[in-house]
Amino acid sequence: MKKLMLGNEAVARGLYEAGCSFVSSYPGTPSTEITEYAAKYKEIYAEWAPNEKVAMETAFGACLAGKRSFCGMKHVGVNVAADPLFTIAYTGVNAGLIIGVADDPGMHSSQNEQDSRHYAIASKIPMLEPSDSSESIEFVKQAFEISEKFDTPVFLKMCTRVAHSQSIVVESERVLPEQKEYVKDGAKYIMMPGNAKKRHPIVEERTKKLTEYAETASFNRIEEGSDNTVGIITSSTSYQYVKEVCGDKYSVLKLGMINPLPIEKIKNFAKSVAKVIVVEELDGIIESHCKNIGVNVSGKEIFGLIGEFSQNIVAEKLGEAVPTGEALDEVIPMRPPVMCAGCPHRGLFYTLKKNKLTVLGDIGCYTLGAVAPLNAIDTTICMGASVSSLHGFNKANEGATDNKTVAVIGDSTFMHSGVTGLINIAYNGSNSTVIILDNSITGMTGHQQNPTTGYNLKGDPCAKIDLEALCKSVGIKSVRVIDPYNLAQCNTVIKEELAKQEPSVIISRRPCALLKYVKHAGPIKTNTDKCVGCKMCMQIGCPAVSMENGKIKIDNTLCTGCGVCSQMCKFDVFESVKEAK
Amino acid sequence: MQTKNIMIVGVGGQGTLLASKLLGKLLLGKGYDVKVSEVHGMSQRGGSVVTYVRYGDKVYSPVIDKGEADVIVSFEMLEAARWVEYLKPDGVIITNTQQVNPMPVIIGAQEYPENLVEKIKNLGIKLNALDALSLAELAGSSKAVNIVLMGRLSKLFDFSEQEWINAIEQSVPEKFLELNKKAFRLGRDYEV
């Protein structure tokens, strides 16, 4: 039966049908739903690991045990997992192992636009790249076949438009391969120099064989066109844009495997057309390969290196007709994402701003503390960078910034890679103050459990990391908990901790306002007669608070009754908020 | 048949995804090739959101580009104005007249433009503007704005009312079914 299926759900379906039994991932847009959907199959063991390195090593262990395994992450997650990646490329696998990676051209939800195809080339691991949901299912199966046939982990590369678009699939039954026996084999799995030196030539030989395989594999296919003045080499979502614009006009070499790339197939394709254009998002990976094998192509000088494509971009660059529409001659205010009404981060960030602190930020919903009117964050780099860079910043300033600089990091991000930075603060002794924003969930990626929440991916109760005890055990003596809905408490505790001559951790604790179990007090009531229009309550940047005819107005559909705005008011406009039961 | 393009635009949290899922199910059931594209993550936090629904004999691209949309269904007035350029010359806009102030307007850095309905009509665009929020509240919940708008959208299609109701049944929880059916009819019967 035909079904409409999200690309990421289709990857999970492929895992199910291919007999994958083990999934370990770390959430990250646009990869998250693969693992969430995989967890819905009772036949698949699925878990959230604390970070991508742990996920990859865990999945490797599971494949070593003899079961087909998968780990999923976003493009920047591969940076975290790069250490095991380059060495499991040498050891190869026992049962099949797929590394799912989702790139984000256009940076819908990412801090950079890195092209993960470089990792496939650098680590010498094959990479398949589907262009829709149906291929996502099919390529998972092929990836496991390749993994086991060529004794290698295999990348499955998604991008935002493939991961987050629904297209039609046909489901089939699960075929479960027998669990492979684990056989002790030091020469294959113990990568100390003597053994690794013998594995490296095997890897190079494997790439040669995979290149031969790429010449005839069905996923690298030629679609003949009627006009041979131009031939197009493309893959992934770019293939869809090319077909949308050109239909069957030009011949297309559609590449399903992006590493290693075929040689003869490309040369022969080039001979069949007058000129070749490579259409690929981000870096010129296919283009460089073509040029290396002596095939003259155009690519990046036409299409550039930046952002995602669309059919109109491809049409314009290929000299085809471009549809146009008429815009309003009007300044349309931007609508950037904002912290939700009732977000526990708001009160904390207002306090940091009020105290004019330098705030080293991290990755999560709280990155929104950087936008107006809070403007409270100075840096956002990568997972965990807030804590480590605070240590460097304070050390380099030799005490001059200790009392006016903090790091802010979420609970999940702290588990991911913040705790190592905190260990460094304790070990190398900087007088730094780290604020853990504990909203009891991984927020931005859409509410995933993590080691601090007490629940696992399947929603079952499990061990819960005690953040206070953890921070104390690594050597931080001063650990305090505050409620970010209480502005006075936030202000007092932050000032006190910054004044101390020792490292400290403040845990700002309040569950995400969007969590289903969180009960809200309900919209706050106001007495607008008392409002003088001073706009103090608007400094917190709550989307539920606005001004109408010079008086405060609460949007009752948004307001949760957190009461942070009422603490800003000196004129008794707000009625007191009762704690929700 | 040439591919048809429907854009669903609004503010993160308004229920645009449910509308696109409903449309996807309906169109798949009618035997079309269908693609639906969503954006998750960062943009869901009260930001401007857009979903693309495309259907026809064979659909390639999952997105809709400028000048391509046959219909834009907007959950909010400013968002209708923002995406006007994506409409085909003979395209139709169905919009909720509700105004949700974005943060630059809330903090006074920018003004919410006035008379957007007139300004869009002045471009010669067919505009169906309705107060979908009031109709949704009349049906029983402000959250049913998406289904009210689907009701209005259904008038542009030849599909039977029952086919739409079937798609609603597949898309909303049973306990909200009656409410949503009412919301659908209020949108469908609304005279612009």
Side-chain angles (χ1 to χ4, degrees):
Chain A
M1 195 183 81
K2 283 183 176 178
K3 266 180 104 165
L4 257 186
M5 197 178 269
L6 196 68
N8 280 346
E9 184 182 359
V11 173
R13 181 71 203 179
L15 293 172
Y16 169 77
E17 291 179 9
C20 175
S21 301
F22 195 99
V23 172
S24 182
S25 304
Y26 186 80
T29 312
S31 72
T32 311
E33 301 82 8
I34 299 173
T35 301
E36 290 183 319
Y37 280 108
K40 291 179 196 261
Y41 294 105
K42 66 180 189 321
E43 295 87 346
I44 299 177
Y45 170 82
E47 64 174 29
W48 291 126
N51 67 35
E52 294 86 354
K53 174 172 148 59
V54 174
M56 190 180 287
E57 292 158 347
T58 302
F60 171 74
C63 99
L64 195 64
K67 288 186 172 172
R68 285 188 167 184
S69 302
F70 174 89
C71 60
M73 58 202 68
K74 67 185 292 176
H75 60 332
V76 287
V78 187
N79 303 335
V80 180
D83 199 359
L85 176 74
F86 281 74
T87 304
I88 61 176
Y90 276 29
T91 64
V93 301
N94 184 20
L97 173 62
I98 297 179
I99 300 157
V101 52
D103 283 14
D104 190 16
M107 292 180 276
H108 297 276
S109 287
S110 302
Q111 67 270 39
N112 73 34
E113 208 168 22
Q114 76 183 46
D115 187 332
S116 61
R117 296 178 299 170
H118 290 291
Y119 268 113
I121 296 167
S123 65
K124 302 169 194 287
I125 289 176
M127 175 180 267
L128 300 188
E129 192 176 39
S131 68
D132 61 18
S133 298
S134 178
E135 281 190 351
S136 296
I137 294 180
E138 184 54 32
F139 283 19
V140 168
K141 294 177 183 176
Q142 304 226 23
F144 275 127
E145 297 290 324
I146 291 169
S147 176
E148 289 169 2
K149 183 175 176 187
F150 293 91
D151 191 9
T152 176
V154 176
F155 272 115
L156 182 83
K157 192 210 140 199
M158 306 291 281
C159 67
T160 299
R161 294 302 179 187
V162 177
H164 286 164
S165 66
Q166 300 177 45
S167 55
I168 294 174
V169 302
V170 179
E171 295 177 338
S172 47
E173 294 297 310
R174 175 174 169 91
V175 179
L176 181 67
E178 243 179 70
Q179 183 168 354
K180 298 200 172 183
E181 192 189 349
Y182 166 68
V183 181
K184 187 178 169 104
D185 185 353
K188 178 161 153 58
Y189 295 121
I190 304 173
M191 284 303 95
M192 52 190 191
N195 291 339
K197 279 176 191 170
K198 290 177 188 136
R199 289 300 297 180
H200 189 183
I202 294 171
V203 172
E204 299 304 334
E205 192 56 34
R206 182 176 76 200
T207 299
K208 276 189 201 159
K209 287 179 183 156
L210 278 159
T211 305
E212 284 166 27
Y213 180 78
E215 301 288 359
T216 54
S218 59
F219 44 63
N220 291 334
R221 68 168 187 267
I222 291 170
E223 297 175 9
E224 304 264 353
S226 55
D227 175 347
N228 67 357
T229 55
V230 174
I232 292 169
I233 305 180
T234 185
S235 73
S236 183
T237 190
S238 298
Y239 162 80
Q240 306 289 359
Y241 303 139
V242 167
K243 292 297 283 188
E244 181 78 31
V245 170
C246 304
D248 297 330
K249 183 176 171 190
Y250 300 132
S251 289
V252 172
L253 171 53
K254 197 268 187 194
L255 296 168
M257 184 156 79
I258 224 67
N259 186 58
L261 287 161
I263 295 169
E264 294 308 318
K265 190 157 205 149
I266 289 175
K267 284 183 177 170
N268 290 335
F269 178 73
K271 278 180 203 155
S272 73
V273 292
K275 69 172 176 178
V276 177
I277 298 173
V278 177
V279 184
E280 58 186 322
E281 287 181 331
L282 302 180
D283 296 337
I285 302 275
I286 301 170
E287 180 181 355
S288 296
H289 171 77
C290 291
K291 288 177 174 167
N292 283 343
I293 61 171
V295 173
N296 187 26
V297 300
S298 322
K300 287 296 143 188
E301 81 267 28
I302 306 173
F303 284 94
L305 297 160
I306 297 162
E308 66 172 354
F309 294 166
S310 67
Q311 50 265 43
N312 282 8
I313 289 173
V314 170
E316 185 210 325
K317 303 293 183 187
L318 293 178
E320 303 286 329
V322 182
T324 53
E326 194 174 359
L328 271 188
D329 182 21
E330 183 79 36
V331 178
I332 307 287
M334 294 291 287
R335 192 187 298 276
V338 291
M339 284 181 197
C340 308
C343 177
H345 301 326
R346 179 170 287 108
L348 190 274
F349 278 111
Y350 172 72
T351 309
L352 300 180
K353 183 195 181 183
K354 188 176 125 186
N355 285 287
K356 299 189 173 63
L357 302 181
T358 299
V359 178
L360 304 184
D362 225 292
I363 305 287
C365 282
Y366 46 95
T367 310
L368 295 171
V371 301
L374 290 165
N375 301 317
I377 289 181
D378 290 71
T379 63
T380 297
I381 310 295
C382 68
M383 299 285 284
S386 61
V387 184
S388 331
S389 49
L390 172 67
H391 173 70
F393 191 79
N394 282 344
K395 274 283 184 186
N397 278 317
E398 298 177 15
T401 51
D402 293 359
N403 64 352
K404 52 188 176 194
T405 313
V406 296
V408 290
I409 182 166
D411 48 329
S412 186
T413 312
F414 183 70
M415 283 291 105
H416 177 283
S417 46
V419 67
T420 39
L422 188 66
I423 290 169
N424 197 33
I425 286 174
Y427 172 51
N428 285 308
S430 64
N431 179 16
S432 295
T433 300
V434 172
I435 303 176
I436 301 174
L437 306 169
D438 179 8
N439 65 350
S440 309
I441 203 73
T442 313
M444 183 56 93
T445 44
H447 286 177
Q448 288 73 35
Q449 304 295 343
N450 70 57
T452 69
T453 66
Y455 293 91
N456 64 22
L457 168 56
K458 300 259 184 184
D460 300 323
C462 64
K464 181 176 156 95
I465 297 283
D466 181 335
L467 280 173
E468 293 92 312
L470 175 63
C471 296
K472 283 183 177 164
S473 73
V474 305
I476 308 295
K477 293 192 183 77
S478 184
V479 179
R480 294 172 74 180
V481 178
I482 56 174
D483 177 359
Y485 278 2
N486 184 334
L487 293 181
Q489 185 198 40
C490 283
N491 196 46
T492 305
V493 171
I494 288 168
K495 279 185 166 157
E496 285 172 3
E497 292 308 308
L498 282 167
K500 281 183 185 167
Q501 293 303 308
E502 62 174 327
S504 56
V505 168
I506 300 167
I507 300 170
S508 173
R509 181 168 286 151
R510 183 55 92 156
C512 171
L514 299 182
L515 282 167
K516 285 202 175 114
Y517 69 81
V518 173
K519 298 278 178 270
H520 297 295
I524 195 163
K525 294 194 171 58
T526 54
N527 185 352
T528 45
D529 290 348
K530 293 184 179 174
C531 181
V532 298
C534 71
K535 295 187 177 175
M536 273 303 288
C537 57
M538 297 198 55
Q539 291 195 13
I540 57 171
C542 177
V545 183
S546 59
M547 300 294 285
E548 194 174 71
N549 304 323
K551 303 269 189 187
I552 172 82
K553 187 191 169 206
I554 298 294
D555 182 338
N556 288 337
T557 63
L558 292 177
C559 181
T560 65
C562 74
V564 172
C565 55
S566 71
Q567 296 167 55
M568 303 292 294
C569 184
K570 294 191 172 75
F571 300 94
D572 279 340
V573 173
F574 299 89
E575 289 184 10
S576 64
V577 173
K578 283 183 190 139
E579 184 75 16
K581 290 285 182 295
Chain B
M1 167 193 143
Q2 210 187 348
T3 300
K4 293 274 184 192
N5 300 314
I6 303 170
M7 277 173 79
I8 301 171
V9 303
V11 180
Q14 276 191 311
T16 51
L17 279 186
L18 181 86
S20 63
K21 281 187 177 134
L22 187 156
L23 273 180
K25 283 192 173 121
L26 176 72
L27 295 163
L28 179 73
K30 296 296 287 182
Y32 294 109
D33 188 18
V34 185
K35 281 190 178 166
V36 179
S37 203
E38 311 161 355
V39 169
H40 300 214
M42 191 69 137
S43 27
Q44 286 181 299
R45 299 286 174 267
S48 174
V49 291
V50 55
T51 305
Y52 309 103
V53 179
R54 310 192 72 216
Y55 66 102
D57 295 335
K58 175 69 190 166
V59 179
Y60 288 106
S61 170
V63 300
I64 297 169
D65 217 326
K66 286 177 185 167
E68 286 194 327
D70 294 276
V71 186
I72 294 176
V73 180
S74 178
F75 283 50
E76 198 270 349
M77 206 54 237
L78 185 66
E79 294 310 308
R82 187 186 312 284
W83 297 96
V84 160
E85 200 180 355
Y86 280 70
L87 200 67
K88 269 184 186 165
D90 58 346
V92 179
I93 296 178
I94 294 171
T95 186
N96 181 11
T97 51
Q98 189 186 350
Q99 177 174 333
V100 180
N101 288 334
M103 197 47 72
V105 172
I106 288 177
I107 64 174
Q110 279 182 290
E111 296 278 322
Y112 195 103
E114 291 181 336
N115 305 325
L116 285 172
V117 169
E118 276 173 43
K119 285 172 184 166
I120 293 172
K121 280 186 173 168
N122 286 344
L123 290 178
I125 289 169
K126 281 172 248 166
L127 182 76
N128 289 192
L130 66 161
D131 181 355
L133 181 62
S134 296
L135 293 175
E137 283 166 350
L138 195 61
S141 167
S142 58
K143 293 205 164 97
V145 162
N146 48 14
I147 304 296
V148 171
L149 291 169
M150 289 300 100
R152 185 62 218 154
L153 177 70
S154 73
K155 295 292 276 184
L156 304 184
F157 287 80
D158 294 334
F159 310 154
S160 73
E161 185 167 338
Q162 191 55 46
E163 286 171 313
W164 285 88
I165 298 289
N166 292 347
I168 292 171
E169 282 173 355
Q170 289 172 44
S171 308
V172 305
E174 194 168 341
K175 62 176 171 173
F176 300 121
L177 191 55
E178 281 313 309
L179 186 161
N180 279 300
K181 280 185 187 170
K182 194 173 170 192
F184 177 80
R185 292 211 175 87
L186 284 169
R188 189 173 167 89
D189 297 340
Y190 184 81
E191 295 297 330
V192 177

